[in-house]
Amino acid sequence: MDISLLHGALKEEKKFRHTQADKAVFVDLIEDWSQASIFPLSLREKLNQSCPLEIKAELSHGNSKKGAVKALITLADFEQIETVLIPQADGRFSVCLSSQVGCPLACVFCATGMQGFTRNLRAEEIVEQFLFWARYLKKENYGRIDNAVFMGQGEPFLNYEEVMKSIKILNDPETFNFGARRISISTAGIVNGIKRLSGEKLQVNLAISLHAPNDALRSNIMPAAGQTPIRKLLEAVDNYIEKTGRRVMFEYLLIKELNDRDEDAIMLAKILNKPLYLVNLIPYNQTGRFQPSSPARTARFMELLERAGLPVTARRSSGQEIDAACGQLAGKRKKS
Ligand code: SAH
């Protein structure tokens, strides 16, 4: 499927056909034009030729019906990306979207980072991931998508235009009418992207992957993103908060004996003790040479931050069984 072909395929048709086609694809969630009963048969057949709706995907489920589900989507050029459906404890559904094929940032703890970068995704390819899960939830009678997070493969702020364009498509009342407040962008700390987002009139949520309390450690584990000093990164965040009045989530991965010591927590508490800053501690999903912090260490780390007065949450890990947890998305791509 390539929805960017849709309006081209309808160019000889009247305007109302475009509106009907958008509704059929994005609201009624049809998977084949034969289901678009408001269209004449000849048009349905034409559209099935010029703009087929099938999304080629392989699903992986864990053992439990309630766990995360991963889809490996094959794009028109045969590149593959992964996207994940994450059922939340409260019955809501989040989808985790990829923004690039691979990633150029090479964070050492991240499976995608280790596979290198191939190309940016187009907005339509991002929207297709969302559409895939919308169809899936409808078929399974589970309901609708509640949240979308740009925490799949790639760095969203290195593909800024297409990511924004995809958000605008999701927002469009004629398509998904999916509010920006339900969307979060996670960045490894691309300052220019944070600056640009500050100027958008969009209520998307911003998350920063910090993962270290000082530049030395950060640049060790995030060799590209860590080149930007934390001070500069926080300046951009403060400017974003000043302009938007919105809260910012700092993600902190807990890796055994690497960034989980008491002094790390104390240093982190010092730099993140500001209004509208939130900290989210993320369990490390093993993808290579590191180990996750123990539950006791995690609890201690959290306690030190709380004692310093920081609002802290700890993320429940989901999706390990199917290698679909954060940072585990590597697909079946060849190792080059
Ligand atoms: N490039 C963006 C978005 C993709 S990664 C970013 O860095 O934020 C989404 C989140 O998963 C980030 O916080 C990332 O650091 C985290 N992550 C990467 N590898 C992980 C792993 N092995 N276990 C848990 N989280 C991981």
Side-chain angles (χ1 to χ4, degrees):
M1 167 171 176
D2 180 353
I3 46 168
S4 54
L5 299 173
L6 182 56
H7 289 158
L10 287 168
K11 66 177 182 298
E12 282 155 21
E13 302 294 327
K14 296 230 165 67
K15 186 81 187 111
F16 74 97
R17 290 287 186 217
H18 294 235
T19 315
Q20 286 176 330
D22 280 346
K23 179 173 178 293
V25 175
F26 299 114
V27 181
D28 304 337
L29 303 172
I30 62 164
E31 300 196 27
D32 187 287
W33 289 106
S34 61
Q35 299 166 317
S37 46
I38 40 168
F39 285 173
L41 195 59
S42 58
L43 182 56
R44 290 184 230 164
E45 280 168 359
K46 189 178 142 195
L47 286 171
N48 264 342
Q49 290 298 319
S50 51
C51 180
L53 295 179
E54 186 203 1
I55 299 174
K56 292 198 176 67
E58 254 173 69
L59 282 180
S60 329
H61 295 265
N63 293 329
S64 88
K65 190 91 180 95
K66 290 201 183 121
V69 188
K70 179 170 75 173
L72 176 72
I73 294 183
T74 302
L75 304 168
D77 62 356
F78 301 105
E79 290 297 343
Q80 294 185 311
I81 46 160
E82 296 187 317
T83 172
V84 188
L85 176 74
I86 310 158
Q88 305 291 342
D90 60 4
R92 289 167 170 266
F93 289 98
S94 292
V95 296
C96 184
L97 305 176
S98 292
S99 55
Q100 299 182 311
V101 181
C103 183
L105 294 181
C107 299
V108 297
F109 46 78
C110 175
T112 308
M114 291 295 100
Q115 73 178 30
F117 174 68
T118 304
R119 69 169 175 87
N120 280 331
L121 291 182
R122 287 182 292 112
E124 290 80 6
E125 293 169 320
I126 296 171
V127 172
E128 258 167 59
Q129 300 169 51
F130 188 97
L131 180 60
F132 179 81
W133 293 122
R135 289 177 179 179
Y136 178 87
L137 290 177
K138 187 180 177 203
K139 274 186 293 206
E140 298 285 329
N141 253 330
Y142 285 164
R144 289 164 170 272
I145 298 170
D146 295 291
N147 296 293
V149 296
F150 281 89
M151 293 189 187
Q153 292 166 293
E155 166 52 47
F157 282 164
L158 292 179
N159 186 16
Y160 190 90
E161 273 90 11
E162 296 299 307
V163 165
M164 285 305 143
K165 202 172 140 195
S166 73
I167 292 173
K168 284 172 188 151
I169 299 174
L170 296 178
N171 286 168
D172 186 345
E174 303 284 308
T175 65
F176 293 105
N177 200 17
F178 191 80
R181 286 168 193 240
R182 306 207 235 165
I183 301 174
S184 300
I185 299 181
S186 176
T187 176
I190 305 298
V191 163
N192 192 37
I194 300 170
K195 279 189 186 147
R196 289 177 77 179
L197 187 67
S198 314
E200 304 277 353
K201 291 197 170 47
L202 268 184
Q203 296 193 305
V204 291
N205 304 298
L206 176 64
I208 309 284
S209 294
L210 194 64
H211 307 326
N214 60 61
D215 291 330
L217 178 57
R218 195 161 191 269
S219 56
N220 254 332
I221 59 176
M222 302 174 75
Q227 295 302 309
T228 304
I230 293 174
R231 184 181 52 77
K232 280 243 148 52
L233 175 55
L234 297 184
E235 258 171 42
V237 171
D238 290 341
N239 187 271
Y240 167 88
I241 290 176
E242 205 179 297
K243 286 209 169 120
T244 63
R246 300 187 66 79
R247 300 188 296 185
V248 173
M249 174 76 79
F250 288 88
E251 296 161 283
Y252 196 97
L253 205 51
L254 282 170
I255 306 176
K256 188 175 180 179
E257 286 161 20
L258 185 77
N259 65 355
D260 66 350
R261 301 164 309 166
D262 281 5
E263 55 259 51
D264 296 322
I266 291 162
M267 211 184 293
L268 190 67
K270 229 179 234 163
I271 62 170
L272 295 187
N273 202 348
K274 290 196 196 163
L276 300 182
Y277 278 22
L278 309 174
V279 182
N280 189 20
L281 298 177
I282 308 176
Y284 171 64
N285 295 305
Q286 218 162 339
T287 58
R289 54 194 161 116
F290 303 111
Q291 305 276 324
S293 304
S294 68
R297 187 84 299 260
T298 303
R300 166 79 178 157
F301 200 91
M302 186 157 175
E303 186 198 319
L304 285 170
L305 295 179
E306 281 173 339
R307 222 190 268 168
L310 272 70
V312 194
T313 51
R315 186 194 288 169
R316 168 180 82 98
S317 180
S318 47
Q320 282 110 324
E321 291 184 54
I322 50 167
D323 287 350
C326 286
Q328 284 187 301
L329 301 181
K332 290 182 178 164
R333 302 179 62 244
K334 56 187 180 294
K335 297 216 164 54
S336 49

